C-alpha cells in the first residue's frame, strides 16, 4: 500500500476535549473508603479541567471477591445514593463520567456494570458482556450491546475491561459513530517483555487505530488480596497513539492518580486514511457475514 | 479482571517451526531482477533453516505503478514460469512459501494476489480483499475469503497488507483454526511518534494477541519512485510479542534481508488465557450478529 500524493492533511484542531482517566486503588469490601476515593477523584479531575472522567471497573466495591456472596453483598442498585452523589458531582462540574460499579440488578442478579452520567443525570447502565476468569463465578453477564450516547463532548460509548479484547464489539460501537470509547478496567499485572507496554494498552491503541476512534481506559493500581494490578491507564488518540498514559517502562514507579489528555474528537468523524482509503467504507461485510460458521471457510 | 491462581502454565515447547520473513526491494517494471531477488531470498531463507518463508506483496512486479496499463503489463498468471520456479524451490528446500504477486486472472483482470506453495506445489491463490488507496485504480478486489491450508508445519492462511487492518477478516481466519497467518505486505512509511513501532506492526502484534495466533509479515524496504517503505517485517508469537523484527527504533538502520524466528505453533491451538477465560469461547456472536445495521444499536 502507498500513501498517495493526496494523503489527507489533518485539519488543525479547533476545539479539544479534556479527558481524564483516574487510576484508583479501591479497597475490596470498604464502600465508605471507596465512596470518598471516587468523589475526590472526580473533584481532582474537574479541578484539572476535565470534561470527561473515567473511573476504574468496580470502583465502589473493589475486585478480589472471595465468593459470589461477597460480591452480592457489595452490589448496589443504580438508585443507590452513591450513584446520586456521582451524578451530583457530574452536574456540578459539568462533565461526563463513566465509572465501573458492582450492580445489583432489579432481577436480583449481580452484574459487573458501568454507569455513564452527564449533567442531565444517569444516561445509561452497561453490563459487562465478556466476563473474565472467575468473574464468571460472581457475576451474570450482560445481554445488551453498549449504549451510544450523544453528549456535550460528542458521541461516547462504554465497554468494560476484557470487553475491549473483542474486536467485533469494538467495531460495532465504532460503526455506530462512537467518537470516544470509555473503558473502566482492572487489568491484572501480567508478565511481559522488558520495555514493552502492557498488552492491554497496546490492544487499546490498536482498537483506536483501526477504528479511528479515541479510547480512554481507567485502570486500577496497587495490590489487592495478593493480586497486583497493571496500572496502565491510558488515553489513546484516533491515530492509535497514547496521548496520555501512566508510566510503564521498567523502573518507572507505578502510582495512582489522574492522567489527562486533550483530544480533538472531531477527527474521529473522518474515517479516511487517504483520499481513496477509508477504514469503514473499505470493509467487506458481505464476506465476513458469509461465514455463518467456520465450516464455510475453505479448508484444504 | 484477574489472573486466577489457576493461570495456565505454558507447556514447554516440544517442537518449533522456523519462520523467515524476507524484506526485499523489488524494482517496479524489472521482472528479471525481481525473479533473481525472490529466488535468492528463498535460497537464503532455506540456508537459515526456514520451514516457512514469506516474501513481500507484489514481489514479482514492484508496487508504484503509474497506470492500470502498467500494472496489467507486469501481471502474470499462476501458470507463469516464475511461479513454477518458486514451487520448485519450495519443493527442493521442503518449505512452505507465501509470496505476493501481480496476477493476471483467467478473467483478464489484474489482481493483487498471494500464492501459497508447499512441496506438493501451488496450494492456493488469494486475491487481496481490501485494496489500499490507488490500488483501487489498478486492481480488481478479490471476492473470496482466504484459504486455510493444512501443511506440514500446521494450519496456515494468508492475507495481504491492508487486509490485516480489518479485524473481522483476521478473526474469521483465526476461527478456522489458522495457527500461522502469512502476510505479504508493502507498508508505506508513515509519520509516527519517536520510539514507537510502526502502527502496522503494532496492529499485527494485537491481531496475534487477541486471536492467540502467530503472524509473519514480510514488508518491503527501500524507496520506489519516491515512495519510502517502512521496512517493518515482523514475526509475532501467539501472545502478541515480536519474536523477530527488523530494526525500528530511531537511528537504527533500515536494511533488506531476512528475519528469522522459531515459533511453537502448537500453543496457538489453546485459546485459553486462564482456566476460565478463552478468547474464542468467550465471544458473544449472538450479540455481534444482532447488529444488522448500526441503526439497531441504541443511540440515545
Amino acid at each position: 500500500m502507498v500513501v498517495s500524493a493526496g494523503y489527507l492533511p489533518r485539519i488543525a484542531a479547533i476545539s479539544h476535549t479534556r479527558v481524564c482517566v483516574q487510576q484508583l486503588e479501591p479497597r475490596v469490601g470498604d464502600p465508605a473508603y471507596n465512596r470518598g476515593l471516587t468523589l475526590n477523584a472526580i473533584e481532582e479531575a474537574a479541578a484539572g479541567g476535565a470534561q470527561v472522567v473515567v473511573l476504574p471497573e468496580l470502583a465502589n466495591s473493589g475486585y478480589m471477591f472471595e465468593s459470589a456472596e461477597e460480591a452480592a453483598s457489595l452490589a448496589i442498585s443504580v438508585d443507590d445514593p452513591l450513584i446520586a452523589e456521582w451524578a451530583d458531582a457530574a452536574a456540578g462540574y459539568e462533565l461526563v463520567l463513566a465509572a465501573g460499579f458492582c450492580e445489583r440488578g432489579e432481577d436480583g442478579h449481580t452484574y459487573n456494570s458501568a454507569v455513564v452520567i452527564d449533567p442531565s443525570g444517569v444516561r445509561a447502565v452497561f453490563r459487562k458482556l465478556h466476563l473474565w476468569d472467575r468473574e464468571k463465578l460472581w457475576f451474570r453477564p450482560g445481554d445488551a450491546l453498549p449504549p451510544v450516547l450523544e453528549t456535550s463532548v460528542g458521541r461516547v460509548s462504554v465497554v468494560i475491561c476484557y470487553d475491549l479484547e473483542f474486536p467485533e464489539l469494538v467495531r460495532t460501537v465504532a460503526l455506530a459513530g462512537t467518537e470516544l470509547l470509555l473503558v473502566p478496567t482492572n487489568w491484572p499485572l501480567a508478565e511481559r517483555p522488558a520495555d514493552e507496554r502492557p498488552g492491554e494498552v497496546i490492544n487499546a491503541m490498536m482498537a483506536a487505530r483501526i477504528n479511528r476512534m479515541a479510547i480512554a481506559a481507567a485502570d486500577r493500581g496497587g495490590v489487592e488480596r495478593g493480586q497486583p494490578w497493571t496500572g496502565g491507564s491510558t488515553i489513546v488518540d484516533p491515530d492509535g497513539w497514547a496521548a496520555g498514559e501512566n508510566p510503564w517502562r521498567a523502573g518507572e514507579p507505578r502510582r495512582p492518580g489522574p492522567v489527562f489528555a486533550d483530544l480533538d474528537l472531531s477527527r474521529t468523524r473522518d474515517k479516511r486514511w487517504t483520499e481513496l482509503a477509508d477504514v469503514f467504507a473499505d470493509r467487506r461485510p458481505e464476506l465476513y457475514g458469509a461465514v455463518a460458521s467456520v465450516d464455510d471457510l475453505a479448508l484444504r
Side-chain angles (χ1 to χ4, degrees), chain A:
Chain A
M1 60 194 202
V2 64
V3 175
S4 82
Y7 194 83
L8 293 176
R10 299 296 172 198
I11 296 155
I14 302 169
S15 84
H16 282 90
T17 300
R18 180 157 290 189
V19 178
C20 176
V21 293
Q22 270 285 17
Q23 186 161 298
L24 306 180
E25 299 184 11
R27 293 182 186 161
V28 66
D30 192 345
Y33 175 84
N34 298 337
R35 171 188 170 276
L37 183 71
T38 56
L39 291 170
N40 287 340
I42 298 167
E43 181 182 1
E44 181 185 32
Q51 299 161 271
V52 180
V53 182
V54 187
L55 305 184
E57 184 179 7
L58 295 171
N60 73 309
S61 61
Y63 185 100
M64 290 294 293
F65 309 119
E66 286 172 344
S67 67
E69 292 69 31
E70 185 181 28
S73 75
L74 295 165
I76 60 175
S77 81
V78 72
D79 301 322
D80 190 87
L82 175 64
I83 306 281
E85 288 186 282
W86 287 351
D88 286 345
Y93 298 123
E94 294 185 351
L95 50 79
V96 175
L97 170 68
F101 75 109
C102 183
E103 184 195 9
R104 181 180 303 114
E106 62 293 340
D107 56 12
H109 291 292
T110 311
Y111 294 93
N112 184 338
S113 296
V115 63
V116 183
I117 293 170
D118 74 5
S120 72
V122 171
R123 294 290 305 279
V125 172
F126 166 70
R127 292 167 173 173
K128 189 173 185 176
L129 294 172
H130 304 87
L131 296 176
W132 172 258
D133 200 54
R134 286 188 292 183
E135 293 172 30
K136 289 165 175 146
L137 308 178
W138 322 142
F139 298 115
R140 169 170 285 221
D143 59 8
L145 288 169
V148 181
L149 303 165
E150 297 280 10
T151 73
S152 57
V153 301
R155 209 174 272 198
V156 306
S157 187
V158 61
V159 301
I160 302 171
C161 198
Y162 188 38
D163 285 329
L164 193 64
E165 308 259 339
F166 293 83
E168 306 92 328
L169 178 64
V170 178
R171 181 71 104 190
T172 297
V173 300
L175 285 170
T178 298
E179 298 169 33
L180 176 60
L181 182 59
L182 311 173
V183 189
T185 193
N186 279 192
W187 286 324
L189 185 61
E191 211 180 335
R192 63 181 194 261
D195 289 321
E196 295 281 4
R197 286 189 178 87
E200 295 87 349
V201 174
I202 305 178
N203 178 59
M205 293 167 63
M206 286 306 94
R209 167 191 168 86
I210 59 182
N211 291 296
R212 303 201 60 70
M213 171 177 74
I215 296 182
D219 194 13
R220 64 161 291 169
V223 178
E224 187 187 19
R225 289 184 175 168
Q227 174 63 57
W229 300 97
T230 298
S233 300
T234 307
I235 299 167
V236 189
D237 74 23
D239 292 320
W241 304 116
E245 58 187 333
N246 255 328
W248 54 270
R249 286 184 177 79
E252 290 180 326
R254 302 293 170 277
R255 54 162 179 70
V259 172
F260 291 91
D262 294 321
L263 298 176
D264 177 4
L265 295 178
S266 71
R267 292 185 48 226
T268 68
R269 287 173 223 142
D270 183 353
K271 299 301 182 186
R272 290 177 296 174
W273 285 111
T274 70
E275 280 185 65
L276 293 177
D278 180 306
V279 296
F280 282 3
D282 290 339
R283 295 174 69 238
R284 304 288 304 273
E286 76 284 6
L287 287 173
Y288 321 137
V291 182
S293 82
V294 298
D295 298 333
D296 296 336
L297 255 184
L299 176 62
R300 304 177 207 167

